[in-house]
Amino acid sequence: MTRRAFLHIGLPKTATTYLQTILWGQRDAVAEQGLLLPGRERRDHLWVSRVVREEPDRKRRPEREHEAMDRVLADVAAWDGDVLVSHEFFAAASTGQAAAFAARLAATGREGHVIVTAREPLGLFTASWQESLKNRSTTPLADYGRSESTSPQDIWDWRTLDLSLVLERWLAVVPGERTHVLPLDRSADREEIWRRFAGVVGIDPTRVDVSGSFPNESMGVVEAELLRRVNGHLGEFRSAFDRGVWIRTFLADERLVTRGGERFWPYPDQVADCRARGERAVALLAERDVDLVGDPGWLLVPETLEQRRTPDTVSDTEVADAAAEVIAGLLGDVRALKAEAKQAGATEQPGLPSRVVSRLRGRRSPSR
């Protein structure tokens, strides 16, 4: 029986976090069905993607990150069943980089497969702009996505968001019959994409507990503009840890997303660009012999869109009101946690004790 190496390369913002949460949360249950997630931890796959894409600043990163590729390949070589490596940043790899990594997987005696989750470009474009804000970007939506980068380091760019661009690079490495494209059906329940994904990698989706999984939620238009302005004052928050823990999780996901807020669209010329990219992707899928697992119509921007605001309509008053509510919630959190630390006998020092900071990172803000 042929052993397979599945590489799930994204696209970003196409239920990748949702699927990865299921897979890593139920890693043992998945392995019992013959599918291994190689490596010691979930971040190993992120770190491998950095090696593959030859990130220039990797030399300054921790030793455990440098060893991730060796750990993953060692596990792949030792496993007797199929393996799955999953991270959306692989979508940015060049054809040469993709070929080099595919060769390393093939050297373990496996048949290489690529899985691409995808969605209609308009929703993807809007979600990716929000994701760029969670990574400390200050770029207004009107200026976002105006080019196609040639650099494998640029993630929040049409380089990784345009399905046809990604497929053109990877189909030069992996043949169409082993390239599986899974469009998202935005009208279906969220487990529908998990069931199709599980079918591709050959496991029974009903034998895996998905109750601990969660999707990435979006901010409203006011909250997104607030975060964009705050980012301009976060000059010291440069590390991946700072972006991931404090900007993305603590502020964006736990304080801004939870406010709800109005959904929004990009500008008319950007909508037209998204519509054209969706049509090009569907045409490419019709031309190339890929394994399409789903309806290609799900990749098209609807002809008629509901009315929504654009970010330029957000007033300073709306931003100030949202900021006041968020600051009040943060102040309450800090007061409660400092009191809790004091009751626990923590030694008072300037700032918060590390144990309290850890609790603070995981605390949800009060509801609106």
Side-chain angles (χ1 to χ4, degrees), residues 134 216-217 219 247-258 364:
K134 294 178 182 180
N216 268 340
E217 300 292 348
M219 294 177 285
I247 302 175
R248 173 197 296 276
T249 302
F250 181 71
L251 180 56
D253 290 341
E254 297 182 355
R255 272 77 189 172
L256 297 177
V257 168
T258 54
R364 295 277 176 178

Side-chain angles (χ1 to χ4, degrees), residues 138-154:
T138 59
T139 302
L141 182 57
D143 298 332
Y144 185 72
R146 296 296 182 179
S147 63
E148 296 172 359
S149 176
T150 60
S151 171
Q153 314 314 320
D154 291 334

Side-chain angles (χ1 to χ4, degrees), residues 50-200:
R50 289 174 174 168
V51 175
V52 170
R53 293 181 295 106
E54 301 174 285
E55 283 199 353
D57 64 345
R58 285 185 301 107
K59 292 182 180 179
R60 298 194 300 269
R61 298 187 182 277
E63 188 63 27
R64 66 182 185 279
E65 179 169 337
H66 292 280
E67 298 169 350
M69 178 68 85
D70 290 339
R71 285 195 298 272
V72 166
L73 290 177
D75 284 354
V76 171
W79 185 251
D80 195 35
D82 294 338
V83 298
L84 169 67
V85 177
S86 173
H87 203 278
E88 56 273 25
F89 290 179
F90 285 112
S94 68
T95 298
Q97 291 167 341
F101 187 46
R104 298 191 74 171
L105 291 174
T108 66
R110 295 172 187 278
E111 179 182 83
H113 290 247
V114 166
I115 303 175
V116 188
T117 43
R119 62 189 279 194
E120 58 85 8
L122 180 57
L124 178 57
F125 180 78
T126 307
S128 70
W129 176 65
Q130 291 204 29
E131 197 68 20
S132 75
L133 298 182
K134 294 178 182 180
N135 282 274
R136 217 194 68 163
S137 172
T138 59
T139 302
L141 182 57
D143 298 332
Y144 185 72
R146 296 296 182 179
S147 63
E148 296 172 359
S149 176
T150 60
S151 171
Q153 314 314 320
D154 291 334
I155 304 300
W156 307 114
D157 181 272
W158 281 119
R159 179 180 181 84
T160 65
L161 304 175
D162 187 316
L163 176 61
S164 61
L165 296 178
V166 174
L167 284 178
E168 284 170 356
R169 295 194 299 272
W170 281 89
L171 282 172
V173 177
V174 179
E177 64 269 20
R178 288 192 268 123
T179 300
H180 315 276
V181 178
L182 282 66
L184 267 65
D185 178 4
R186 306 298 291 176
S187 66
D189 67 88
R190 73 177 189 175
E191 291 183 18
E192 190 267 348
I193 186 62
W194 161 244
R195 292 189 288 268
R196 282 190 285 134
F197 188 95
V200 169

Side-chain angles (χ1 to χ4, degrees), residues 229-291:
R229 297 189 189 186
V230 169
N231 286 343
H233 301 278
L234 298 179
E236 298 299 318
F237 287 73
R238 294 188 178 91
S239 71
F241 178 86
D242 283 339
R243 293 195 305 272
V245 170
W246 298 111
I247 302 175
R248 173 197 296 276
T249 302
F250 181 71
L251 180 56
D253 290 341
E254 297 182 355
R255 272 77 189 172
L256 297 177
V257 168
T258 54
R259 286 173 49 83
E262 298 177 73
R263 302 177 74 182
F264 57 95
W265 293 128
Y267 299 90
D269 63 323
Q270 293 171 314
V271 173
D273 182 42
C274 290
R275 183 170 280 117
R277 290 178 188 274
E279 292 168 354
R280 285 201 299 270
V282 171
L284 177 65
L285 291 172
E287 294 170 3
R288 305 294 292 269
D289 184 24
V290 303
D291 179 29

